[in-house]
């Protein structure tokens, strides 16, 4: 049994859906198909959450959603039935927008419309391609906590539900990104979370292969949108791929590989437009393990620097600092320390629906025991590879290349799989191009 996930662009138009459906049809082992919302729809739904949106803009967004889906529905054989279902969903969406309480729970129910709409249509496209797949509501299987916007899955509860509701004899189509908490409220796993959902379904149903079908032919040496010469990688280790996704490689949601590792699931990333290309296999041991395999870029980083003489020969300062951040659920990515100061990076982007905000309250709490400085508009560049902590010369070459750029913070040595540093937003792309040319070609 294979779990196959298709992203937004792989189901964004009728043609894309046809490509994806023919991939599913080709192999009867592709028993559980997980798809995202049609490309652009989740962004549209996020725009609709703005309480200050005027009615003209709101209608324009709703029309965009309507046209995108009707454009696909109109090319299906059974368009009348599909259009009826879609119109019901659209009016439910309108009703939802009328509700007064726009809290995080309300937002997750709003975002879920994208996946609920796309899956209804894709079930029909699959049927027209000879695949009889049952539409499954992911919320009946994928159990999470109530951390709306960025919910944490409960894999044990999910396994129990999967055992109850998924039979290996049938084929299913379900939604990525969405789940439900113990009270039955809709939750989401954070933007780009369909990859993560698919991996959780793979773990919960004990399958051996997870396929991530996307708009590029696998994992590349860097984002091909930044470097045209980026090369597809045929094999990459779980450790490298995990770091690549955490450090901004959007091709996989950062949490995707955790369930795959736990469940001993093999992962393949490939293009739904060109399924004949080999794509990338994510493995425990790769045939070759180069020092620099890939480069990633993560934007919207915030650097928080705190200074205090209290740090000098004192214990407990770091614990105090991190406990304030932990109390406010702020997760820290990189840390460097000196005798009297600590610099931390915070990711303010990858959970668009649940941004980390350094509020005045938090800053004031920190100011009670140290000086605080906040720098925004930074990007994090990471070199991903192997044995980087034990290879001499990398930093020398790297910093030689970047002599004309102001580097704000460097982390080297904490992991064998990466070296990373912060640069000014706006220079990130150019720096990635420079490093790619030098280290990858
Ligand atoms: P999907 O909708 O299929 O989930 P995404 O847009 O989320 O697709 O992810 C695919 C995109 O990830 C690619 O189009 C590419 O621009 C971007 N990307 C960033 N880094 C990488 C990388 N190292 N390899 C491949 N793609 C990457
Ligand atoms: N549709 C969701 C998003 O755009 C989930 C995903 O595409 O993976 O974030
Ligand atoms: Mg994605």
């Amino acid at each position: 049994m294979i779990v196959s996930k298709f992203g937004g662009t792989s189901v964004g138009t009728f043609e894309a859906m046809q490509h994806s459906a023919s991939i599913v049809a080709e192999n009867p082992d592709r028993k559980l198909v997980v798809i995202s919302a049609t490309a652009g729809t989740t962004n549209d739904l996020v725009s609709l959450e703005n309480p200050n949106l005027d009615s003209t803009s709101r209608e324009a967004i709703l029309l965009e959603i309507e046209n995108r889906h009707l454009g696909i529905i109109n090319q299906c054989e059974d368009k009348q039935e599909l259009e009826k279902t879609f119109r019901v969903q659209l009016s439910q969406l309108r009703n939802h927008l009328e509700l007064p309480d726009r809290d995080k729970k309300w937002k997750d129910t709003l975002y879920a419309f994208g996946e609920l709409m796309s899956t209804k249509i894709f079930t029909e496209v699959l049927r027209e391609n000879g695949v009889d797949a049952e539409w499954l509501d992911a919320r009946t299987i994928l159990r999470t906590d109530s951390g709306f916007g960025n919910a944490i899955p409960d894999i044990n509860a999910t396994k129990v539900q999967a055992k109850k509701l998924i039979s290996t004899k049938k084929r299913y189509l379900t939604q990525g990104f969405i789940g439900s908490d113990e009270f039955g409220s809709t939750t989401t796993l954070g933007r780009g979370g369909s990859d993560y959902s698919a991996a959780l379904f793979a773990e919960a149903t004990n399958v051996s292969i997870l396929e991530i079908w996307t708009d590029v032919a696998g994992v590349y040496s860097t984002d091909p949108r930044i470097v045209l010469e980026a090369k597809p990688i045929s094999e990459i280790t779980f450790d490298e791929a995990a770091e690549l996704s955490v450090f901004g490689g959007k091709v996989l949601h950062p949490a995707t590989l955790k369930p795959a590792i736990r469940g001993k699931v093999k992962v393949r990333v490939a293009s739904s437009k060109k399924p004949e290309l080999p794509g990338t296999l994510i493995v425990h041991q790769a045939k070759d393990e180069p020092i620099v395999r890939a480069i990633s870029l993560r934007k919207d980083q915030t650097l928080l620097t705190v200074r205090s003489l209290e740090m000098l020969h004192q214990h407990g300062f770091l614990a105090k600092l991190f406990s304030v951040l932990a109390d406010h659920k702020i997760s820290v990515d990189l840390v460097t320390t000196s005798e009297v100061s600590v610099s931390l990076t915070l990711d303010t982007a990858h959970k668009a629906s649940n941004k980390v905000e350094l509020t005045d309250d938090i800053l004031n709490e920190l100011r009670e025991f140290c000086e605080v400085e906040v720098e925004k508009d930074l990007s994090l560049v990471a070199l991903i590879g192997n044995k980087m902590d034990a290879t001499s010369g990398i930093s020398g070459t790297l910093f030689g290349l970047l002599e004309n750029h102001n580097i704000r913070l460097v982390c080297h040595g904490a992991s064998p799989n990466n070296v990373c540093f912060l640069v000014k937003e706006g220079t990130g792309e150019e720096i990635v191009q420079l490093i790619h040319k030098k280290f990858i070609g």
Side-chain angles (χ1 to χ4, degrees), residues 122-283:
F122 195 57
T123 309
E124 172 60 18
V125 176
L126 282 176
R127 199 193 57 79
E128 291 175 13
N129 279 274
V131 179
D132 187 18
E134 185 176 315
W135 184 88
L136 192 67
D137 188 332
R139 296 169 297 184
T140 61
I141 312 258
L142 211 158
R143 277 289 136 83
T144 71
D145 69 0
S146 304
F148 299 102
N150 204 20
I152 297 172
D154 176 342
I155 187 62
N156 292 328
T158 302
K159 278 182 182 168
V160 171
Q161 290 305 105
K163 210 171 211 146
K164 255 198 259 168
L165 299 172
I166 298 178
S167 147
T168 49
K169 294 194 183 74
K170 288 203 223 162
R171 300 180 90 175
Y172 298 92
L173 168 67
T174 194
Q175 308 80 35
F177 184 50
I178 67 172
S180 72
D181 68 6
E182 60 175 316
F183 309 105
S185 300
T186 301
T187 55
T188 66
L189 303 182
R191 292 303 305 272
S194 294
D195 304 323
Y196 189 22
S197 297
L200 290 160
F201 277 112
E203 184 187 4
T205 52
N206 252 325
V207 313
S208 54
I209 302 176
L210 165 65
E211 298 173 330
I212 305 282
W213 296 94
T214 182
D215 60 350
V216 282
V219 179
Y220 278 60
S221 52
T222 192
D223 188 339
R225 288 184 208 188
I226 302 177
V227 177
L228 284 177
E229 300 78 25
K231 296 177 173 49
I233 297 169
S234 56
E235 266 192 10
I236 187 168
T237 64
F238 275 98
D239 289 341
E240 292 171 289
E243 301 239 0
L244 185 102
S245 60
V246 166
F247 285 115
K250 195 189 164 208
V251 62
L252 291 174
H253 178 280
T256 310
L257 297 176
K258 273 195 274 180
I261 294 170
R262 283 195 307 250
K264 299 196 168 49
V265 181
K266 289 190 200 111
V267 184
R268 183 168 165 247
V269 183
S271 158
S272 61
K273 260 188 272 166
K274 294 186 177 164
E276 66 285 1
L277 295 178
T280 303
L281 274 182
I282 305 178
V283 293

Side-chain angles (χ1 to χ4, degrees), residues 232-353:
I233 297 169
S234 56
E235 266 192 10
I236 187 168
T237 64
F238 275 98
D239 289 341
E240 292 171 289
E243 301 239 0
L244 185 102
S245 60
V246 166
F247 285 115
K250 195 189 164 208
V251 62
L252 291 174
H253 178 280
T256 310
L257 297 176
K258 273 195 274 180
I261 294 170
R262 283 195 307 250
K264 299 196 168 49
V265 181
K266 289 190 200 111
V267 184
R268 183 168 165 247
V269 183
S271 158
S272 61
K273 260 188 272 166
K274 294 186 177 164
E276 66 285 1
L277 295 178
T280 303
L281 274 182
I282 305 178
V283 293
H284 285 284
Q285 193 106 44
K287 281 188 205 88
D288 75 318
E289 298 199 342
I291 295 166
V292 181
R293 173 95 76 188
I295 297 144
S296 61
L297 176 68
R298 200 166 74 181
K299 295 184 172 177
D300 288 312
Q301 303 297 292
T302 299
L303 181 67
L304 174 72
T305 303
V306 299
R307 287 189 190 80
S308 168
L309 287 179
E310 247 190 76
M311 269 188 84
L312 210 60
H313 309 302
Q314 287 276 336
H315 48 81
F317 180 83
L318 286 178
K320 205 156 136 190
L321 170 64
F322 282 101
S323 84
V324 172
L325 296 173
D327 285 349
H328 292 277
K329 295 202 161 68
I330 295 230
S331 84
V332 172
D333 289 320
L334 305 180
V335 186
T336 58
T337 63
S338 77
E339 195 63 38
V340 291
S341 66
V342 186
S343 293
L344 317 160
T345 66
L346 312 170
D347 188 8
T348 40
H350 78 270
K351 302 156 197 147
S353 54

